[in-house]
Amino acid sequence: MTKKTNIFANLNSDFPAGLVVFLVALPLCLGIALASGAPLFSGIISGVVGGIVVGFLSKSHISVSGPAAGLTAIVLVAITDLGAFDVFLTAVFLAGLLQLALGFLKAGTISNYFPTNVIEGMLAGIGVIIFLKQIPHAVGYDKDYEGDLSFVQSDGENTFSELLSVLGSIQLGAVIITVVSLVILISWNKISFLKNLKLVPAALIAVIVGIAMNQLFIYSGSSLAIMGEHLVSLPVPTTFDDFKNIIVTPDFSAIANKQVWIVAFTIAIVASIETLLCIEAADRMDIHRRYTDTNVELKAQGIGNIISSLLGGLPMTSVVVRTSANANAGAQSKMSSIIHGLLLLVSALAIPFVLNKIPLATLAAILLLVGYKLANPKIIKHFFEKGKYQFIPFICTFLAVVFTDLLKGVALGIIISVIFILKGNMQRAYVFRKETFQDGDVIHIDLAQEVSFLNKAAIKSTLASIPENSKVIINASDTVYIAHDVLDLIKEFKKIKSKEENIKVKLVGFKKAYDLVNTGEEDKHVFVEQKV
């Protein structure tokens, strides 16, 4: 049973997290708009709507929505083919309606069939991409736009050739600011008296110091000064007409255009898949292991895209980069996403001239740490130790995401996982059943002979619906094989959810499928690796 959450209850954690996400999202919104061939403010509008509207409507506690790098190529081609940005906005409006329909059709349940090792491989791959893509920005080489996650870049370079180009274009001022920013970010939470300043995140201090250092370089006439393309470049409205021109509305006279509908369907499908992948990843990053209703998420994204299109914004998805930054910053509820959207709105309209003093090198330092945490070598070691049936889909997804893109990488990982499952299940039948229950009853969940990741959705739904203060018996007496995904789900339920919701869990018969080591404490067990 899901608890109702007061989104204002964790402001001491959510405000600094929202501030960090705002600093990360600002250049990404601008960079993606620039690469999409759209007005720069369209990226900001999408970020604001994604933060405030989708953040409020979504049931996800830590995911953050905004313009996505994965849609850049689609948007660029669509604007060119449709001939006008207002016609393109009509397609975005229709895409939002289609996503809303997908939510009511409960298409979001497809996310339950994404294997955990594939999701983790996707996150590790994105972590490597973020890290490698930020190295040029960290040393003052800003030819590629901020937020580009594709291996092959629009300037003809790729992720690795770009690193070679950097060697002849290193700017010492940017390197100094990056190093100082990294020192602040890494040491901030290791200094005892600074830990008490929870409302002042290290990222904000790094940005302030970065601005101050660069202003000092400029005023002293030093060659270390960072100028032009190496700074955030937000448009600065100066008159009422400037503000008025920011808002572009859809041209609904083009609604009968067949090409508009093709673009709408393309955006709806791609944006929905990317959102579901990110939501599954966000639930993995949530330390409380709270599950998100993905059908509600599709509805929220649909409403977000409808509103974004009416205001002149780009299409949006839930985005891994911002979500991982949010999780790493300690966000506890969706209030952090809303705060990030409010900060984008207020700062873009009120203090753009201040934001334009931020060196991209400082923001690169923040993202370097985000990338490292996503692609920590310990994750690769963890899946290697789980055996080939877990490691091969993980590493293939990881490499495919790095060298192609998110969707192709995940598709390859799922195909490999399905092949392994079909091989193991070819001659085995699976039956899942649970007894009906009321509050206070003893709940019995009996697992069948074969429990694969394809059964994850039913088991996940059952565990999520168990009321507080219950007694649960999970019986694996007849089980000869249980997938790692389902086992992890049961482990997390026993370790975290049972503790938070006072649910007593008894495990029966797991020794036949997995060895159980009794820790000596009542009703507590440790799962160890299956011998395949």
Side-chain angles (χ1 to χ4, degrees), residues 109 112-113 452-462 486 489:
T109 53
N112 290 313
Y113 301 102
S452 72
F453 79 84
L454 297 174
N455 310 118
K456 176 181 172 183
I459 297 174
K460 185 177 180 180
S461 175
T462 299
V486 178
L489 196 64

Side-chain angles (χ1 to χ4, degrees), residues 374-393:
L374 284 176
N376 193 313
K378 291 181 181 178
I379 297 172
I380 299 176
K381 180 183 177 184
H382 170 74
F383 279 96
F384 180 78
E385 292 173 346
K386 278 194 169 187
K388 62 182 180 180
Y389 292 105
Q390 285 291 298
F391 181 70
I392 292 176

Side-chain angles (χ1 to χ4, degrees), residues 8 20 43 58 62 83 105 153 180 188 251 275 290 302 311 364-365 481 483:
F8 296 100
V20 171
S58 171
I62 64 170
L105 292 172
Q153 300 172 181
V180 172
W188 187 256
D251 178 7
T275 289
R290 293 166 291 190
L311 297 175
Y481 172 82

Side-chain angles (χ1 to χ4, degrees), residues 33-100:
L34 180 65
S36 300
L40 287 181
F41 252 106
S42 65
I44 298 294
I45 292 169
S46 180
V48 170
V49 175
I52 299 174
V53 178
V54 179
F56 179 78
L57 297 175
S58 171
K59 295 297 183 181
S60 177
H61 296 274
I62 64 170
S63 74
V64 182
S65 297
L71 294 176
T72 301
I74 295 173
V75 173
L76 179 62
V77 172
I79 293 175
T80 303
D81 290 347
L82 295 176
F85 185 62
D86 56 355
V87 176
F88 167 75
L89 292 176
T90 304
V92 178
F93 178 87
L94 295 173
L97 291 177
L98 291 171
Q99 283 186 295
L100 197 57

Side-chain angles (χ1 to χ4, degrees), residues 295-365:
N295 295 312
V296 173
E297 185 65 29
L298 286 180
K299 295 175 187 176
Q301 294 289 334
I303 294 172
N305 276 321
I306 289 171
I307 294 175
S308 181
S309 68
L310 292 174
L311 297 175
L314 291 174
M316 71 188 68
T317 72
S318 180
V319 189
V320 172
V321 178
R322 272 156 268 194
T323 299
S324 57
N326 196 33
N328 291 335
Q332 296 296 312
S333 78
K334 59 186 182 180
M335 191 63 192
S336 61
S337 176
I338 297 172
I339 288 170
H340 123 273
L342 290 171
L343 289 173
L344 274 176
L345 174 62
V346 172
S347 60
L349 296 179
I351 54 169
F353 55 90
V354 175
L355 300 179
N356 286 344
K357 296 181 184 297
I358 301 175
L360 293 181
T362 295
L363 302 178

Side-chain angles (χ1 to χ4, degrees), residues 164-192:
L164 296 176
S165 300
V166 164
L167 296 177
S169 305
I170 295 177
Q171 186 174 356
L172 185 56
V175 174
I176 293 173
I177 289 176
T178 298
V179 171
V180 172
S181 299
L182 285 172
V183 170
I184 293 172
L185 293 168
I186 294 171
S187 62
W188 187 256
N189 290 325
K190 294 182 179 180
I191 301 174
S192 57

